[in-house]
């Protein structure tokens, strides 16, 4: 005779195991960091965070649709498992790692960063992740590695927006090697104390807080160390509007609008946009001697 197991249901019982493997460790750790007094230290911000509801319902993620609302509406169709991240190119130790192994391999921390979209709106988001440098160092970049190329998942069954032929899929981005190795540059796997929702780039996305939002590529499957400046999606589509560097710069207008001010999502009055999105002290020296009007 079958005896019913009467223990209470836990999260592990009601969520697909493949999606939430080790979720308890992840959340426990995230909460611990979030409430640690040091969280606001080197990388933190003393600014009101954007409401989670706004940060997860007003998105740019073309692979899940073109409007701001579409990514959240379509995210249920995007299953971010199984998932592997491939690190290759100019490395002594190329590696391919399953996302679950990646989640365990690195010390996750919470960092509250501004994200400034090129469309002149911004948010303040508590990300959970680890420095990109930690992963790159594991692969041992060679001396020829001058840039890093990032590639998003290319699979129109999981990302139906890729059926739109107007864009050159997959989405691609790039950084110079020193930008990629900078301690502010984060690979995020969560936000607001939880795993990343699909619309925000599950299961792993880049966050480069001093650059316009489109540099923060979502749903990354490949990271390649390369010798020459890689092609980026926006750079190849509209080179006159989207430079490779795209550091947030209120002094350089977009060809079709000013970048002097921004609307913080959830607020009415506009704020002044800050050079390097407020991170000048940490990053400006990387661009010493560069003309940031030409290298926008
Ligand atoms: N793969 C991919 N990554 C992407 C985009 C995209 O369309 N596809 N949009 C970018 C843009 S323009 C912005 S502003 C940010 C938005 O991130 P958020 O929705 O988490 O705020 O994601 C960036 N990363
Ligand atoms: Mo953006």
């Amino acid at each position: 005779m079958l005896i019913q197991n009467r223990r209470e249901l836990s999260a592990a019982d009601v969520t697909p195991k493949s999606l939430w493997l080790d979720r308890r460790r992840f959340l426990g750790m995230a909460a611990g960091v979030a409430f640690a007094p040091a969280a606001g230290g080197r990388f933190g911000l003393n600014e009101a965070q954007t409401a989670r509801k706004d940060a997860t319902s007003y998105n740019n993620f073309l692979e899940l649709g073109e409007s701001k609302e579409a990514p959240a509406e379509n995210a249920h169709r995007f299953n971010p498992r199984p998932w592997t991240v491939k690190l290759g190119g100019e490395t002594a130790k190329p590696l391919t790692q399953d996302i679950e192994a990646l989640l365990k391999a690195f010390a996750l921390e919470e960092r509250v960063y501004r994200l400034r979209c090129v469309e002149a709106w911004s948010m303040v988001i508590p990300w959970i992740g680890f420095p990109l440098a930690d992963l790159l160092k594991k692969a041992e970049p060679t001396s020829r590695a001058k840039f890093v190329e990032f590639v998003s998942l290319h699979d129109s069954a999981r990302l139906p927006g890729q059926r739109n032929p107007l864009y050159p899929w997959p989405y691609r981005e790039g950084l110079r090697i020193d930008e990629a190795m900078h301690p502010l540059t984060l690979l995020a796997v969560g936000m607001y104390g939880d795993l990343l929702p699909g619309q925000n780039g599950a299961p792993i996305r880049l966050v480069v807080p001093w650059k316009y939002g489109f540099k923060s590529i979502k749903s990354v499957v490949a990271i390649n160390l390369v010798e020459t400046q890689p092609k980026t999606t926006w750079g190849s589509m509209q080179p006159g509007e989207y430079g490779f560097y795209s550091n947030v710069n209120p002094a350089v207008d977009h060809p079709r609008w000013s970048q002097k001010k921004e609307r913080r999502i959830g607020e009415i009055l506009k704020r002044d946009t800050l050079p390097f999105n407020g991170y000048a002290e940490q990053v400006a020296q990387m661009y010493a001697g560069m003309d940031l009007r030409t290298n926008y």
Side-chain angles (χ1 to χ4, degrees):
M1 181 177 153
L2 192 77
I3 297 171
Q4 288 280 334
N5 182 348
R6 295 192 188 192
R7 74 192 164 88
E8 277 175 45
L9 284 178
S10 72
D13 298 309
V14 296
T15 51
K17 209 174 177 183
S18 60
L19 277 175
W20 298 101
L21 202 73
D22 227 7
R23 189 172 186 269
R24 279 178 71 198
R25 170 191 167 267
F26 179 83
L27 294 179
M29 206 285 321
V33 174
F35 300 114
R42 203 163 153 220
F43 303 109
L45 277 185
N46 284 327
E47 250 171 56
Q49 292 174 16
T50 299
R52 176 193 185 126
K53 196 179 157 289
D54 289 337
T56 57
S57 62
Y58 188 88
N59 301 100
N60 275 342
F61 194 3
L62 291 164
E63 289 90 328
L64 290 176
E66 286 189 284
S67 70
K68 298 285 178 279
E69 296 75 29
E73 289 164 7
N74 295 324
H76 65 278
R77 298 208 259 162
F78 170 38
N79 181 359
R81 295 294 190 285
W83 199 276
T84 52
V85 179
K86 236 182 176 164
L87 220 153
E90 293 291 348
T91 63
K93 292 185 178 161
L95 61 97
T96 300
Q97 208 156 32
D98 187 79
I99 188 68
E100 311 295 356
L102 265 181
L103 285 174
K104 287 186 194 133
F106 296 96
L108 303 180
E109 48 185 295
E110 178 170 89
R111 293 187 181 185
V112 181
Y113 280 170
R114 296 187 193 93
L115 182 142
R116 167 60 158 83
C117 182
V118 74
E119 298 167 280
W121 50 264
S122 64
M123 300 195 195
V124 173
I125 296 179
W127 302 104
I128 296 163
F130 56 91
L132 171 65
D134 291 358
L135 177 63
L136 295 181
K137 282 176 199 155
K138 261 184 96 167
E140 298 180 14
T142 72
S143 59
R144 284 187 300 276
K146 302 285 193 315
F147 293 90
V148 185
E149 176 195 52
F150 303 86
V151 189
S152 293
L153 178 71
H154 193 188
D155 179 352
S156 62
R158 289 160 86 180
L159 296 171
Q162 290 178 340
R163 291 183 198 133
N164 183 341
L166 285 177
Y167 301 97
W169 308 111
Y171 194 98
R172 289 172 193 276
E173 256 308 333
L175 295 174
R176 206 170 60 190
I177 188 79
D178 57 333
E179 300 177 319
M181 295 296 259
H182 193 280
L184 277 177
T185 303
L186 201 68
L187 275 174
V189 296
M191 63 197 287
Y192 297 90
D194 212 334
L195 294 172
L196 276 183
Q199 62 269 33
N200 293 88
I204 185 162
R205 57 93 55 88
L206 189 67
V207 185
V208 195
W210 70 96
K211 293 178 181 284
Y212 291 119
F214 64 89
K215 300 292 288 182
S216 292
I217 183 173
K218 295 175 169 178
S219 304
V220 172
V221 292
I223 300 174
N224 298 311
L225 291 130
V226 293
E227 198 163 3
T228 54
Q229 186 176 301
K231 288 247 180 310
T232 66
T233 296
W234 290 107
S236 53
M237 286 181 54
Q238 281 148 298
E241 298 195 3
Y242 302 94
F244 180 78
Y245 287 93
S246 285
N247 294 317
V248 173
N249 191 345
V252 177
D253 290 344
H254 183 278
R256 291 183 280 136
W257 59 81
S258 164
Q259 294 290 22
K260 286 189 180 61
K261 288 185 178 287
E262 68 201 54
R263 188 171 68 86
R264 183 67 48 85
I265 299 302
E267 295 180 358
I268 294 165
L269 294 178
K270 287 189 177 172
R271 293 169 174 254
D272 287 338
T273 286
L274 303 171
F276 298 103
N277 202 22
Y279 300 92
E281 209 178 293
Q282 292 101 312
V283 303
Q285 78 284 352
M286 284 193 290
Y287 310 99
M290 274 176 78
D291 180 352
L292 294 177
R293 284 186 176 271
T294 325
N295 293 293
Y296 55 89

